Amino acid sequence: MKKRILVTGGAGFIGSHLCKRLLAENNRVICLDNFFTGNKTNISPFLSNPDFQLIEHDITVPFEVEVDEIYNLACPASPIHYQYDPVKTIKASVLGANNVLELAQRTKAKVLQASTSEVYGDPIIHPQQENYWGNVNPIGLRSCYDEGKRCAETLFMDFHRYYGVNIKIIRIFNTYGPNMQKHDGRVISNFIVQALQGRDITIYGVGGQTRSFQYISDLLDGMIKMMATESSFTGPINLGNPCEITITDIAKTILKLTGSQSQLIHAALPPDDPAQRRPDISLAKTKLNWEPHISLEEGLKETIAYFRTIL
């Protein structure tokens, strides 16, 4: 019998890829999205599929549906989007987590929380392991997202301990690929769009800060493997690519792959911007037999090709 799987935030960048993957694996997929940052174009190929259902709904409002599994991805994830309405952002994280957990409790569904590397804040431990509690500013401009996700993890663990809900928590590190929005303010989408349009590439700060970028298909592999683990294993678990690169070097790589003549310019560094970010994926290797396989250059070529079609 086909599983009924709910993907909240299913019209977003990661959610739409997950819906496609779950449909390909012969599941019934329910996509719930309010289209605050999600895009109907991302899911339009699935609308004619009888195993796909779209529910337009705000995650902060309780809802009822019969499901076997839930992937909770509903929350603005890029700084431009989550800082646009910070109160809405923290409600999406906290009230949204509570609503999916209550649904999971009622339906006995397994539920996976898409948390984030932002729970580590501006880390003083490098690389970041899951037992690191983070260095987060609770009252800064990024707090609505960082602390919202931290509180959501707390809710998940307490629903598990107190009510016995079968939960999984993943911490997603920087992810990129097709279906990213061209104006979402993320590093790779910003740089690709600027390079393809021949505009100056804006680097915040001196460009020495580091990130670790994973391609979307690698992330999906990790998510699905995590959902399939035994009920006693809750996570949290890091899903990211440990290959670390400076912001300046990622810009230069994109210039090379696009053949752009854009120049690098510098702007002021935003508050609380992490100086370094790299996951320790030892736990994912051990528990999931997972590690990323798509190289940065390979993934960037696919992503650049996508942006050429939409610009």
Side-chain angles (χ1 to χ4, degrees), residues 75-91 93 116-123 135-151 172-174 184-187 190 204 209-211 213 247 268-277:
C75 185
S78 70
I80 286 178
H81 291 149
Y82 67 63
Q83 292 174 14
Y84 174 77
D85 188 340
V87 174
K88 188 179 185 72
T89 295
I90 200 163
K91 284 182 176 179
S93 283
T116 171
S117 61
E118 297 298 330
V119 300
Y120 299 122
D122 187 4
N135 178 39
V136 177
N137 177 1
I139 58 170
L141 293 176
R142 301 170 70 104
S143 307
C144 58
Y145 184 68
D146 301 1
E147 295 287 36
K149 288 289 191 177
R150 287 163 67 93
C151 185
I172 301 173
F173 283 68
N174 294 69
D184 68 3
R186 303 187 203 205
V187 172
N190 274 3
Y204 295 100
Q209 63 270 45
T210 65
R211 296 293 183 270
F213 297 100
I247 297 299
L269 192 68
D272 300 322
D273 190 62
Q276 52 188 5
R277 185 62 55 74

Side-chain angles (χ1 to χ4, degrees), residues 116-136 150 153 171 173 236 238 276-278 280:
T116 171
S117 61
E118 297 298 330
V119 300
Y120 299 122
D122 187 4
I124 56 177
I125 301 296
H126 193 74
Q128 293 79 58
Q129 294 180 320
E130 291 86 354
N131 59 6
Y132 174 51
W133 293 350
N135 178 39
V136 177
R150 287 163 67 93
E153 287 194 16
R171 290 174 178 165
F173 283 68
N238 290 335
Q276 52 188 5
R277 185 62 55 74
R278 177 162 67 95
D280 183 319

Side-chain angles (χ1 to χ4, degrees), residues 169-208:
I169 300 172
I170 60 171
R171 290 174 178 165
I172 301 173
F173 283 68
N174 294 69
T175 305
Y176 69 100
N179 291 7
M180 297 182 82
Q181 293 190 34
K182 59 186 177 182
H183 299 307
D184 68 3
R186 303 187 203 205
V187 172
I188 284 184
S189 54
N190 274 3
F191 288 179
I192 291 176
V193 170
Q194 290 169 337
L196 291 178
Q197 293 181 337
R199 297 187 283 124
D200 291 337
I201 290 185
T202 307
I203 294 175
Y204 295 100
V206 298

